[in-house]
Amino acid sequence: LAIIAAEIGTWSLDVRTGELISSPRTKEIFGFPAEGEMSLDAALDQVVSDQRLMVREAINTAISSGEKLEVEYPVHTLQDEGPRWIRVIGNLIYKEDGDPEYLTGIMQDVTDYKLDDLRKNDFISIVSHELKTPLTSIKSYIQILHDRAQKTHDTFATDALDKAHNKVKGMTTLINGFLDVSRLQTGKIYLNRQTFDIDTLVDEIIEEVNSNSPGQNICKSGGCQSLVNADKDKIGQVISNLLNNAIKYSPKGKGIKISC
């Protein structure tokens, strides 16, 4: 009753003969008649072509290694409807002598969830790119004003514009972080590795946090004096989050101690 209510399909694959035994719901997901037959090859033929090899290899790996099978992929139905996304989970069942006998598991139509997720990632990507356009203009204006302030020896304006420039850089990093969220879910996250001094980065983050929270006592002790090879912006974001959380959740008036 629970399986029916959740609209979950069940299946079992004989690892010796390759015979696939499917529940009516599993056949329905692929567009086959509930009372008809559906072989493994017939089911794989309905998988979107560029995903077919991946699915077959995942099944073979689960059988040969005994690892859990867990994949998501799009399929076409016999009725030639739009692609439907399905999630498949399976485990290997062994005989008493220890030899594998069946790969068996469940299947669920996750089309609505997957399409919502894809639309969310598209939205994040579009908004992030749109936000970058005005930030580029703001950055250019700040640089022009900064050059003029330096020529007139206006130290206050120079310092203020330096801080504004850092804020724009921080905003750009934040936007890139939004893009990374969608890239991470598709396995395409990009790390901009470079070699930098971790002490210098910590000092820069402390100065930035101090400008946002004037009067907050942040005390740094020790020093690594070490060069690291990593994504400087992402590491800086982590340190910034730690410091801002320390300010947010520590008792008022208490100093923040940071050591490297």
Short mmCIF file of all heavy atoms in Angstrom, two decimals, residues 192-224:
data_model
loop_
_atom_site.label_atom_id
_atom_site.label_comp_id
_atom_site.label_asym_id
_atom_site.label_seq_id
_atom_site.Cartn_x
_atom_site.Cartn_y
_atom_site.Cartn_z
N ASN A 192 39.41 28.84 -9.02
CA ASN A 192 40.44 29.72 -9.57
C ASN A 192 41.65 29.68 -8.64
O ASN A 192 41.83 30.53 -7.77
CB ASN A 192 39.90 31.15 -9.70
CG ASN A 192 40.92 32.11 -10.28
OD1 ASN A 192 41.81 31.69 -11.00
ND2 ASN A 192 40.81 33.38 -9.92
N ARG A 193 42.48 28.68 -8.82
CA ARG A 193 43.63 28.48 -7.92
C ARG A 193 44.73 29.50 -8.17
O ARG A 193 45.02 29.85 -9.31
CB ARG A 193 44.21 27.07 -8.09
CG ARG A 193 43.31 25.96 -7.56
CD ARG A 193 43.99 24.61 -7.73
NE ARG A 193 43.21 23.55 -7.11
CZ ARG A 193 43.30 23.19 -5.84
NH1 ARG A 193 44.14 23.82 -5.04
NH2 ARG A 193 42.57 22.21 -5.37
N GLN A 194 45.32 29.96 -7.07
CA GLN A 194 46.48 30.84 -7.16
C GLN A 194 47.28 30.70 -5.87
O GLN A 194 46.76 30.20 -4.85
CB GLN A 194 46.04 32.30 -7.36
CG GLN A 194 45.10 32.82 -6.28
CD GLN A 194 44.65 34.23 -6.56
OE1 GLN A 194 45.46 35.14 -6.60
NE2 GLN A 194 43.34 34.43 -6.75
N THR A 195 48.52 31.10 -5.90
CA THR A 195 49.37 31.04 -4.70
C THR A 195 49.32 32.38 -3.99
O THR A 195 49.54 33.42 -4.62
CB THR A 195 50.81 30.68 -5.09
OG1 THR A 195 50.83 29.41 -5.76
CG2 THR A 195 51.70 30.59 -3.85
N PHE A 196 49.02 32.36 -2.70
CA PHE A 196 48.92 33.62 -1.94
C PHE A 196 49.30 33.37 -0.49
O PHE A 196 49.34 32.23 -0.02
CB PHE A 196 47.50 34.19 -2.02
CG PHE A 196 46.42 33.28 -1.48
CD1 PHE A 196 46.01 33.37 -0.15
CD2 PHE A 196 45.82 32.32 -2.30
CE1 PHE A 196 45.03 32.54 0.35
CE2 PHE A 196 44.83 31.48 -1.80
CZ PHE A 196 44.44 31.59 -0.48
N ASP A 197 49.57 34.47 0.21
CA ASP A 197 49.94 34.42 1.63
C ASP A 197 48.67 34.41 2.47
O ASP A 197 47.88 35.36 2.40
CB ASP A 197 50.82 35.63 1.98
CG ASP A 197 51.38 35.55 3.40
OD1 ASP A 197 50.57 35.45 4.33
OD2 ASP A 197 52.61 35.59 3.55
N ILE A 198 48.49 33.39 3.26
CA ILE A 198 47.25 33.25 4.04
C ILE A 198 47.16 34.33 5.11
O ILE A 198 46.06 34.83 5.42
CB ILE A 198 47.17 31.84 4.67
CG1 ILE A 198 45.78 31.60 5.29
CG2 ILE A 198 48.25 31.62 5.69
CD1 ILE A 198 44.68 31.44 4.27
N ASP A 199 48.32 34.74 5.67
CA ASP A 199 48.32 35.81 6.68
C ASP A 199 47.79 37.12 6.10
O ASP A 199 46.98 37.81 6.72
CB ASP A 199 49.74 36.05 7.19
CG ASP A 199 50.00 35.30 8.49
OD1 ASP A 199 49.01 34.96 9.16
OD2 ASP A 199 51.16 35.05 8.82
N THR A 200 48.27 37.44 4.90
CA THR A 200 47.83 38.68 4.26
C THR A 200 46.33 38.65 4.00
O THR A 200 45.63 39.66 4.21
CB THR A 200 48.58 38.87 2.93
OG1 THR A 200 49.98 38.87 3.18
CG2 THR A 200 48.17 40.18 2.27
N LEU A 201 45.82 37.49 3.58
CA LEU A 201 44.38 37.37 3.32
C LEU A 201 43.59 37.56 4.61
O LEU A 201 42.57 38.28 4.62
CB LEU A 201 44.08 36.01 2.71
CG LEU A 201 42.60 35.72 2.45
CD1 LEU A 201 42.01 36.72 1.45
CD2 LEU A 201 42.40 34.30 1.95
N VAL A 202 44.05 36.96 5.70
CA VAL A 202 43.34 37.11 6.99
C VAL A 202 43.32 38.58 7.40
O VAL A 202 42.29 39.09 7.86
CB VAL A 202 44.02 36.24 8.08
CG1 VAL A 202 43.42 36.55 9.45
CG2 VAL A 202 43.83 34.76 7.76
N ASP A 203 44.46 39.27 7.24
CA ASP A 203 44.52 40.70 7.60
C ASP A 203 43.55 41.51 6.75
O ASP A 203 42.88 42.43 7.24
CB ASP A 203 45.95 41.23 7.41
CG ASP A 203 46.92 40.68 8.44
OD1 ASP A 203 46.44 40.24 9.52
OD2 ASP A 203 48.13 40.64 8.16
N GLU A 204 43.45 41.18 5.44
CA GLU A 204 42.53 41.90 4.56
C GLU A 204 41.08 41.69 4.98
O GLU A 204 40.27 42.63 4.99
CB GLU A 204 42.73 41.42 3.11
CG GLU A 204 44.03 41.88 2.48
CD GLU A 204 44.25 41.27 1.11
OE1 GLU A 204 43.38 40.46 0.67
OE2 GLU A 204 45.28 41.55 0.47
N ILE A 205 40.76 40.46 5.36
CA ILE A 205 39.38 40.16 5.77
C ILE A 205 39.05 40.86 7.09
O ILE A 205 37.95 41.40 7.27
CB ILE A 205 39.17 38.64 5.92
CG1 ILE A 205 39.43 37.93 4.58
CG2 ILE A 205 37.76 38.34 6.40
CD1 ILE A 205 38.54 38.37 3.45
N ILE A 206 40.01 40.90 8.01
CA ILE A 206 39.79 41.60 9.29
C ILE A 206 39.53 43.07 9.05
O ILE A 206 38.61 43.67 9.63
CB ILE A 206 41.00 41.40 10.23
CG1 ILE A 206 41.07 39.95 10.71
CG2 ILE A 206 40.91 42.34 11.43
CD1 ILE A 206 42.30 39.62 11.54
N GLU A 207 40.32 43.67 8.16
CA GLU A 207 40.13 45.10 7.84
C GLU A 207 38.75 45.33 7.22
O GLU A 207 38.06 46.30 7.55
CB GLU A 207 41.23 45.57 6.89
CG GLU A 207 41.16 47.06 6.56
CD GLU A 207 42.26 47.50 5.60
OE1 GLU A 207 43.13 46.67 5.29
OE2 GLU A 207 42.22 48.67 5.16
N GLU A 208 38.34 44.44 6.34
CA GLU A 208 37.04 44.57 5.69
C GLU A 208 35.91 44.44 6.69
O GLU A 208 34.94 45.21 6.67
CB GLU A 208 36.91 43.50 4.59
CG GLU A 208 35.60 43.56 3.83
CD GLU A 208 35.49 42.44 2.80
OE1 GLU A 208 36.52 42.07 2.20
OE2 GLU A 208 34.37 41.93 2.61
N VAL A 209 36.02 43.44 7.59
CA VAL A 209 34.98 43.23 8.60
C VAL A 209 34.93 44.41 9.56
O VAL A 209 33.85 44.84 9.98
CB VAL A 209 35.22 41.90 9.36
CG1 VAL A 209 34.27 41.77 10.55
CG2 VAL A 209 35.05 40.71 8.41
N ASN A 210 36.10 44.95 9.92
CA ASN A 210 36.15 46.12 10.81
C ASN A 210 35.44 47.32 10.19
O ASN A 210 34.79 48.10 10.90
CB ASN A 210 37.60 46.49 11.11
CG ASN A 210 38.15 45.73 12.32
OD1 ASN A 210 37.38 45.38 13.22
ND2 ASN A 210 39.44 45.46 12.33
N SER A 211 35.57 47.50 8.88
CA SER A 211 34.92 48.63 8.22
C SER A 211 33.41 48.47 8.24
O SER A 211 32.67 49.45 8.23
CB SER A 211 35.41 48.76 6.78
OG SER A 211 35.00 47.66 5.99
N ASN A 212 32.93 47.22 8.27
CA ASN A 212 31.49 46.96 8.33
C ASN A 212 30.95 47.02 9.76
O ASN A 212 29.77 47.29 9.98
CB ASN A 212 31.16 45.58 7.75
CG ASN A 212 31.38 45.53 6.26
OD1 ASN A 212 31.33 46.55 5.59
ND2 ASN A 212 31.66 44.34 5.74
N SER A 213 31.83 46.71 10.72
CA SER A 213 31.40 46.68 12.12
C SER A 213 32.33 47.53 12.95
O SER A 213 33.17 47.01 13.73
CB SER A 213 31.40 45.23 12.64
OG SER A 213 30.61 44.40 11.83
N PRO A 214 32.26 48.86 12.80
CA PRO A 214 33.16 49.74 13.56
C PRO A 214 32.94 49.59 15.06
O PRO A 214 31.81 49.41 15.52
CB PRO A 214 32.77 51.15 13.07
CG PRO A 214 31.39 51.00 12.51
CD PRO A 214 31.31 49.60 11.97
N GLY A 215 34.02 49.63 15.81
CA GLY A 215 33.91 49.49 17.26
C GLY A 215 34.06 48.06 17.73
O GLY A 215 34.21 47.80 18.92
N GLN A 216 34.02 47.09 16.81
CA GLN A 216 34.19 45.69 17.20
C GLN A 216 35.68 45.39 17.38
O GLN A 216 36.50 45.71 16.50
CB GLN A 216 33.62 44.77 16.11
CG GLN A 216 33.70 43.29 16.46
CD GLN A 216 32.80 42.92 17.62
OE1 GLN A 216 31.63 43.29 17.64
NE2 GLN A 216 33.35 42.21 18.59
N ASN A 217 36.03 44.83 18.53
CA ASN A 217 37.44 44.57 18.83
C ASN A 217 37.82 43.18 18.30
O ASN A 217 37.44 42.17 18.87
CB ASN A 217 37.65 44.63 20.35
CG ASN A 217 39.11 44.39 20.71
OD1 ASN A 217 40.00 44.57 19.89
ND2 ASN A 217 39.34 43.95 21.95
N ILE A 218 38.58 43.17 17.19
CA ILE A 218 39.06 41.91 16.63
C ILE A 218 40.57 41.87 16.83
O ILE A 218 41.30 42.73 16.34
CB ILE A 218 38.72 41.79 15.13
CG1 ILE A 218 37.21 41.86 14.93
CG2 ILE A 218 39.27 40.49 14.57
CD1 ILE A 218 36.79 41.83 13.47
N CYS A 219 41.04 40.86 17.57
CA CYS A 219 42.46 40.76 17.91
C CYS A 219 43.05 39.53 17.23
O CYS A 219 42.59 38.41 17.45
CB CYS A 219 42.63 40.66 19.43
SG CYS A 219 44.34 40.49 19.96
N LYS A 220 44.07 39.74 16.40
CA LYS A 220 44.74 38.63 15.70
C LYS A 220 46.07 38.33 16.38
O LYS A 220 46.84 39.23 16.69
CB LYS A 220 44.96 38.99 14.24
CG LYS A 220 45.74 37.95 13.44
CD LYS A 220 45.80 38.35 11.96
CE LYS A 220 46.67 37.40 11.15
NZ LYS A 220 48.09 37.61 11.31
N SER A 221 46.34 37.06 16.59
CA SER A 221 47.60 36.65 17.20
C SER A 221 48.24 35.56 16.35
O SER A 221 47.56 34.81 15.65
CB SER A 221 47.36 36.11 18.62
OG SER A 221 46.53 34.96 18.58
N GLY A 222 49.56 35.50 16.43
CA GLY A 222 50.28 34.48 15.67
C GLY A 222 50.29 34.79 14.19
O GLY A 222 49.76 35.80 13.73
N GLY A 223 50.93 33.93 13.45
CA GLY A 223 51.01 34.09 12.00
C GLY A 223 51.52 32.83 11.36
O GLY A 223 52.39 32.15 11.91
N CYS A 224 50.96 32.50 10.20
CA CYS A 224 51.38 31.28 9.51
C CYS A 224 52.64 31.50 8.68
O CYS A 224 53.49 30.63 8.59
CB CYS A 224 50.27 30.80 8.57
SG CYS A 224 48.71 30.48 9.37
#
